[in-house]
């Protein structure tokens, strides 16, 4: 079975500051890793994913995440945040065989203030 | 439609009533997932369909929960004899097919409140 831990329930940050949202996972099998973003009253949108290959993955809106197998981590980073980045961020894992049932963390609320 | 559509967006029911939640996946998507998201929590897997076949229902919390996808497109999640702990947002997701390069596309969810 897989599990995901997001230690920070809320991260307040000022606009244009850097941010890191932490994610650690546990699994007995190889996994895929994902970050999803959820805006109020909306479903989840895929932000980025790690399947294999380069351990650093990037999204089109400036976020990046690095897969660290030895530390079983997949932290999300952005060098300079915008007000519009305020949202809930969920880290998720799935096994890399069969159908990809997602196992989510409890989420981190990113609050960006001016 | 361009995305996954769920209806109703909001549902209020009295304890003991039956409810039905609908999911219209993206046209042509083979895989369909249901998740339950309690307040302040991440989504939790309920069940998975590949076309009309329900291949995994291990996440359904009790036998009061039932899901179907009879023609391999629209899916319905039914909850019988609702209880207060059923209050949550129910999310539906679809993907083109099973596979590593197929992301799950989520609907906006149905917020269910049991009084």
């Amino acid at each position: 079975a897989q599990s995901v831990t997001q230690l920070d329930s809320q991260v307040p940050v000022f606009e244009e500051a850097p941010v890191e949202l932490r994610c650690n996972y546990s699994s007995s099998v190889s996994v895929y890793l994902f970050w999803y973003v959820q805006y109020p009253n909306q479903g989840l949108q895929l932000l980025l994913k790690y399947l294999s290959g380069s351990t650093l993955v990037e999204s089109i809106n400036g976020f990046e995440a690095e897969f660290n197998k030895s530390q079983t981590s997949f932290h999300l980073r952005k060098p300079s945040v915008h007000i519009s980045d305020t949202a809930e961020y969920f880290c998720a894992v799935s096994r890399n065989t069969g159908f990809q049932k997602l196992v989510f963390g409890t989420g981190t609320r990113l609050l960006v203030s001016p | 439609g361009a995305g996954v559509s769920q209806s109703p967006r909001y549902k209020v029911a009295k304890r003991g009533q039956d409810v039905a939640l609908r999911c219209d996946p993206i046209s042509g998507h083979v895989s369909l997932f249901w998740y339950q998201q309690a307040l302040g929590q991440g989504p939790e897997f309920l069940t998975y369909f590949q076309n009309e076949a329900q291949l995994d229902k291990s996440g359904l919390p009790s036998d009061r929960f039932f899901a179907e996808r009879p023609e391999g497109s629209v899916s319905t999640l039914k909850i019988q004899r609702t209880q207060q702990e059923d209050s949550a947002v129910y999310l539906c997701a679809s993907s083109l097919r099973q596979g590593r390069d197929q992301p799950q596309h989520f609907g906006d969810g149905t917020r269910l409140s049991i009084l």
Side-chain angles (χ1 to χ4, degrees):
Chain A
Q2 296 82 45
S3 67
V4 176
T5 301
Q6 293 182 252
L7 290 174
D8 304 307
S9 60
Q10 187 168 291
V11 173
V13 65
F14 289 109
E15 192 175 20
E16 298 183 4
V19 70
E20 179 180 79
L21 306 184
R22 295 180 293 170
C23 172
N24 289 87
Y25 70 94
S26 173
S27 177
S28 58
V29 298
S30 296
V31 296
Y32 297 147
L33 294 155
F34 307 84
W35 276 99
Y36 280 84
V37 59
Q38 186 176 37
Y39 298 100
N41 297 316
Q42 294 186 22
L44 288 85
Q45 300 173 29
L46 180 64
L47 193 58
L48 44 76
K49 61 184 178 183
Y50 170 78
L51 303 179
S52 65
S54 173
T55 58
L56 183 65
V57 291
E58 299 177 349
S59 71
I60 58 174
N61 56 356
F63 283 95
E64 65 179 28
E66 186 162 18
F67 170 57
N68 188 318
K69 189 174 183 178
S70 63
Q71 297 185 5
T72 60
S73 68
F74 191 55
H75 301 330
L76 181 70
R77 297 189 294 262
K78 189 171 186 180
S80 176
V81 295
H82 302 288
I83 296 287
S84 60
D85 292 326
T86 295
E88 189 89 21
Y89 291 81
F90 292 94
C91 181
V93 301
S94 73
R95 59 185 182 182
N96 66 358
T97 58
F99 71 92
Q100 272 80 57
K101 172 178 73 175
L102 293 169
V103 176
F104 288 89
T106 52
T108 297
R109 182 173 298 278
L110 177 62
L111 294 171
V112 182
S113 55
Chain B
V4 177
S5 177
Q6 293 188 245
S7 60
R9 286 296 315 276
Y10 304 92
K11 176 68 177 178
V12 179
K14 293 182 179 179
R15 188 175 56 184
Q17 290 183 328
D18 298 347
V19 298
L21 313 180
R22 177 188 170 102
C23 172
D24 279 273
I26 295 172
S27 178
H29 277 199
V30 167
S31 297
L32 186 144
F33 301 80
W34 283 98
Y35 295 86
Q36 179 190 57
Q37 185 176 18
L39 187 63
Q41 301 296 315
E44 292 190 358
F45 170 80
L46 293 177
T47 187
Y48 165 69
F49 288 87
Q50 185 171 309
N51 294 307
E52 69 279 3
Q54 189 175 22
L55 299 186
D56 189 325
K57 54 182 181 179
S58 62
L60 296 177
S62 77
D63 59 7
R64 296 185 296 103
F65 287 71
F66 173 76
E68 61 183 3
R69 194 185 184 198
E71 297 179 357
S73 56
V74 171
S75 177
T76 303
L77 177 66
K78 298 179 180 179
I79 310 174
Q80 297 177 326
R81 304 181 304 281
T82 53
Q83 300 178 7
Q84 284 192 321
E85 59 262 31
D86 299 335
S87 295
V89 175
Y90 291 84
L91 295 168
C92 176
S94 70
S95 64
L96 184 59
R97 58 181 178 273
Q98 173 182 306
R100 55 181 266 168
D101 294 327
Q102 299 306 316
Q104 293 182 32
H105 301 266
F106 283 80
D108 288 341
T110 293
R111 183 177 298 275
L112 176 64
S113 298
I114 305 300
L115 304 179

